[in-house]
Amino acid sequence: MVAAASVVTVVGTVTGMISALENGRGFDQARPAATRTPSLAPLPAIPSPSPSLSRATRTPTATPKHRLPTPTPARTERKQRTTPVTSLLYRHPDSEVLDWVRAHPADPRTALIESRIADQPAAVWFADYSPDTIAARVRAVTAGAAAEDRVPVLVPYAIPDRDCGGASRGGAPDLAAYDAWIDAFARGLGSGEVIVILEPDSIAQSDCLSDADRAARFASLARAGRTLKAANPRARVYYDAGHSGWNPPAKQAALLEQAGALASDGIFSNVSNFRTTADEIAYDRQVLDALGGPESLGAVIDTSRNGNGAPPDGQWCDPAGRRIGRAPTMTTGEAGVDAYLWVKLPGESDGCKGAAGTFTPSYAYDLAR
């Protein structure tokens, strides 16, 4: 196992995102969702997954909202890794950083922010529960990517009880509604290549749930993976592995197996965090080994803000001295590592250097220098 930092802080994943939300500018517009992660004190090496309640004080839910048996996922039948046909990732044409660049052509920071951040492909988040429009909004993104022969990165983020009731709380009202939402989401995937980052924090941050609620959530996640793959066999679906400073690899692998990850394309790690790429590669390989090392599974890593690694004091809220990491690519040169992605858009504040979830040019400039 990769040695965890002496101080670890759980970061609620959605501390600012590109989010394809329904608004006056159309369903295909990627906009940041202004959700805020609360300020946390440093936590021990295996942190409480709840940003607001400790294990000792949280009262488990007595009756699950959508009780299902613990899933027993079937192993994938693929015998070898699938090589992508398209190697270029998609940059959605609308985001707060692009809006700022277009509105400030004379600002001395614009050229650097544009070349190092705005021009890079980043994930599109679907963080609101909107069952009537989700298929059309997903389809708008996948169709735009297909027209450019590029691969979009989509983040469905509507699992009930997400963020353990913390600042990023929300999602579908219950798991039955979530299952229907995923069905609609899948209808928008089209037939081209697409990467799906399925529900950040939903597995690593599940200790706050009762055993029955956790089993029900994992059953829905397993179903979601099957649904997405059935709708588009070229979709590459990845499951939540937390990051190298969170759960030990063996524990995370056990949770992933319960949630159906063995029938997926692999795992993702470091979403919205700062862990070094080297630490994440080592950690992800250990998680995959603990899953039995199937050749069909790989890993993708969020490198958006990990250029200088995690701050030694465990600070998570727009910490000083951080830098953007490796540019997004599907050609990593690392065995078992399928892609480096920018799931969190650099420059969107965690809430300390600007309003949470909004683009802050001074922060973006610091990251890009």
Side-chain angles (χ1 to χ4, degrees), residues 250-268:
K251 175 181 178 179
Q252 189 63 37
L255 296 173
L256 283 158
E257 185 167 7
Q258 293 172 42
L262 283 170
S264 73
D265 292 275
I267 61 175
F268 63 83

Side-chain angles (χ1 to χ4, degrees), residues 40-217:
L40 299 177
L43 299 177
I46 300 179
S48 166
S50 171
S52 56
L53 297 175
S54 70
R55 287 192 182 96
T57 59
R58 184 174 179 86
T59 302
T61 303
T63 303
K65 297 177 181 176
H66 184 64
R67 185 163 188 158
L68 293 173
T70 301
T72 304
R75 288 182 176 268
T76 177
E77 296 180 357
R78 289 171 293 160
K79 302 300 182 183
Q80 59 186 9
R81 297 200 48 69
T82 302
T83 301
V85 175
T86 303
S87 61
L88 296 176
L89 293 163
Y90 178 59
R91 187 197 72 165
H92 196 283
D94 185 64
S95 66
E96 278 210 351
V97 61
L98 285 169
D99 287 349
W100 185 87
V101 165
R102 292 162 184 155
H104 298 85
D107 191 296
R109 300 167 296 182
T110 296
L112 184 66
I113 291 173
E114 181 176 20
S115 63
R116 302 210 65 194
I117 296 178
D119 285 348
Q120 298 295 336
V124 180
W125 291 66
F126 298 85
D128 61 328
Y129 175 69
S130 51
D132 294 338
T133 61
I134 187 63
R137 290 160 50 213
V138 173
R139 188 177 300 113
V141 176
T142 56
E148 298 182 14
D149 195 25
R150 291 178 179 253
V151 180
V153 179
L154 310 181
V155 186
Y157 189 65
I159 197 79
D161 299 316
R162 71 182 183 203
D163 198 30
C164 291
S168 294
R169 70 177 66 87
D174 54 50
L175 288 173
Y178 177 74
D179 292 347
W181 185 84
I182 281 289
D183 290 345
F185 187 102
R187 290 196 294 272
L189 290 179
S191 58
E193 292 181 76
V194 57
I195 292 173
V196 180
I197 304 299
L198 182 61
E199 297 294 341
D201 290 351
S202 61
I203 298 174
Q205 192 182 25
S206 61
D207 282 353
C208 64
L209 301 175
S210 69
D211 290 346
D213 281 345
R214 187 182 309 111
R217 171 182 285 190

Side-chain angles (χ1 to χ4, degrees), residues 221-272:
L221 288 172
R223 179 190 181 278
R226 294 192 301 269
T227 299
L228 296 167
K229 296 291 287 184
N232 180 356
R234 299 177 70 191
R236 301 167 69 85
V237 180
Y238 295 89
Y239 278 65
D240 171 40
H243 59 68
S244 58
W246 203 332
N247 292 324
K251 175 181 178 179
Q252 189 63 37
L255 296 173
L256 283 158
E257 185 167 7
Q258 293 172 42
L262 283 170
S264 73
D265 292 275
I267 61 175
F268 63 83
S269 71
N270 206 44
V271 169
S272 293

